[in-house]
């Protein structure tokens, strides 16, 4: 009898983009709007390059500061406004793991006891994504058309990493940037000490945490620090500059979009 042959290996079907251009509502975030609009413009470019149509509807805060401070009434009011404005989009995308995490993980919690709003909160949460993870995991972007000369190190912000699983995605796209070399710092996944209202309530503890983070950034030898949350970036940039360090600080979207004409965060 002829020898049995092993069954042919079944290859997974190739991933495909959505059949039509997805309509994306950009949740720009308060800090981007007020402190670093260039991040919002970079996010729009990346999304449009990926084949999305992008709109920026009327919006305010995601409500995270109120939520973390125990002011659930204000958090709910802000969440209701966000749900109403973004319900019409295919996806909601934020250049911030922190704000995306608030919508995706905590909006349903806010309305758990409300039969009217709970379905709306869950529907919005299901289509909300952090920017870089949306590009890689939903739009299947594997490379970008950008150039950045030199070494960078990357900080994994707490909310993006722990609430949304954002870690490999930015590194995947950074690997496609011409001229860029990623150098991992020690304890890249350890908190920078910002934590929104945490830094206000526990200033001494926050400073001790960011001090250790700054040491790891400098020890990496990379002249540029990247991350995906502007709050974390501003906190780390402030510490580095107060210590007289020469490390430049940027949002990862600016580098991926090839939009680095603006001075680094906190510099004139």
């Amino acid at each position: 009898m002829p020898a049995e042959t092993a069954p042919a290996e079944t290859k997974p079907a190739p991933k495909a983009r959505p059949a039509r251009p997805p309509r994306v509502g950009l949740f720009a975030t308060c800090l981007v709007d007020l402190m670093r609009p260039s991040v919002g413009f970079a996010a729009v470019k990346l999304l449009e390059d990926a084949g999305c149509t992008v709109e920026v509807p009327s919006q305010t805060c995601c409500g995270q500061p109120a939520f973390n401070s125990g002011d659930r009434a204000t958090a709910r009011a802000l969440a209701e406004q966000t749900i109403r404005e973004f319900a019409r989009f295919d996806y909601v995308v934020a250049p911030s793991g922190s704000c995306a995490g608030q919508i995706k993980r905590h909006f349903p919690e806010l309305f758990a006891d409300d039969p009217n709003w709970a379905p709306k909160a869950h529907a919005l949460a299901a289509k909300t994504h952090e920017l870089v993870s949306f590009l890689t995991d939903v739009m299947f972007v594997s490379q970008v058309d950008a150039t950045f000369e030199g070494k960078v190190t990357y900080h994994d912000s707490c909310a993006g990493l722990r609430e949304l699983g954002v870690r490999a995605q930015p590194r995947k796209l950074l690997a496609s940037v011409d001229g860029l070399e990623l150098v991992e710092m020690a304890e890249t996944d350890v908190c920078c000490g910002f934590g929104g209202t945490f830094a206000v309530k526990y200033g001494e503890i926050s400073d001790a945490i960011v001090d250790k983070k700054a040491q790891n950034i400098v020890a990496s030898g990379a002249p540029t620090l990247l991350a995906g949350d502007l709050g974390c970036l501003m906190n780390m940039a402030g510490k580095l500059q107060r210590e007289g360090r020469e490390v430049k600080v940027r949002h990862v979207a600016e580098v991926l979009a090839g939009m680095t004409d603006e001075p680094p965060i906190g510099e004139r």
Side-chain angles (χ1 to χ4, degrees):
M1 295 180 63
E4 293 184 2
T5 57
E9 182 179 352
T10 302
K11 295 183 179 180
K15 294 179 178 179
R17 289 186 177 184
R20 62 175 177 81
R23 188 183 181 199
V24 171
L26 180 68
F27 190 86
T29 82
C30 298
L31 287 179
V32 167
D33 180 36
L34 297 172
M35 306 299 295
R36 192 75 173 175
S38 58
V39 175
F41 294 122
V44 170
K45 181 181 186 300
L46 288 166
L47 290 167
E48 290 182 340
D49 287 350
C52 303
T53 58
V54 185
E55 298 178 41
V56 185
S58 175
Q59 56 192 271
T60 55
C61 177
C62 70
Q64 185 180 122
F67 179 83
N68 289 344
S69 300
D71 183 359
R72 297 303 172 93
T74 299
R76 281 179 61 122
L78 292 168
E80 288 176 9
Q81 191 268 352
T82 300
I83 292 169
R84 283 192 296 266
E85 290 294 333
F86 284 86
R88 64 185 185 271
F89 295 101
D90 298 322
Y91 297 101
V92 180
V93 176
S96 162
S98 180
C99 296
Q102 174 69 12
I103 298 171
K104 195 171 188 70
R105 300 298 181 192
H106 302 300
F107 274 21
E109 179 182 344
L110 275 171
F111 298 103
D113 59 349
D114 189 325
N116 180 41
W117 281 96
K120 300 174 185 178
H122 280 281
L124 190 71
K127 61 183 181 181
T128 297
H129 302 268
E130 182 272 339
L131 172 66
V132 182
S133 64
F134 176 77
L135 293 171
T136 59
D137 300 342
V138 178
M139 298 305 296
F140 309 120
V141 175
S142 59
Q143 60 184 25
V144 294
D145 183 15
T147 299
F148 187 89
E149 297 295 335
K151 296 180 180 179
V152 305
T153 193
Y154 191 88
H155 165 71
D156 295 295
S157 61
C158 293
L161 176 65
R162 293 170 176 83
E163 291 191 329
L164 304 177
V166 179
R167 189 181 191 283
Q169 299 94 327
R171 289 168 172 82
K172 178 180 181 178
L173 294 188
L174 287 171
S176 71
V177 176
D178 289 340
L180 183 146
E181 179 184 351
L182 177 63
V183 180
E184 298 286 7
M185 74 176 88
E187 299 181 326
T188 181
D189 60 347
V190 171
C191 181
C192 74
F194 178 58
T197 54
F198 175 86
V200 177
K201 293 175 66 177
Y202 306 105
E204 291 185 2
I205 299 174
S206 174
D207 184 65
I209 295 172
V210 75
D211 181 69
K212 180 62 181 295
K213 175 61 67 172
Q215 293 177 36
N216 288 334
I217 294 166
V218 173
S220 75
T224 300
L225 167 68
L226 305 179
D229 270 272
L230 188 53
C232 301
L233 287 163
M234 291 171 61
N235 186 47
M236 293 182 289
K239 184 65 174 179
L240 290 163
Q241 289 165 18
R242 289 193 297 275
E243 293 184 344
R245 305 294 187 177
E246 297 297 325
V247 179
K248 309 299 182 183
V249 181
R250 292 189 178 277
H251 193 286
V252 67
E254 296 174 320
V255 171
L256 294 177
M259 297 172 65
T260 55
D261 292 337
E262 289 287 325
I265 293 169
E267 298 188 14
R268 294 181 182 273

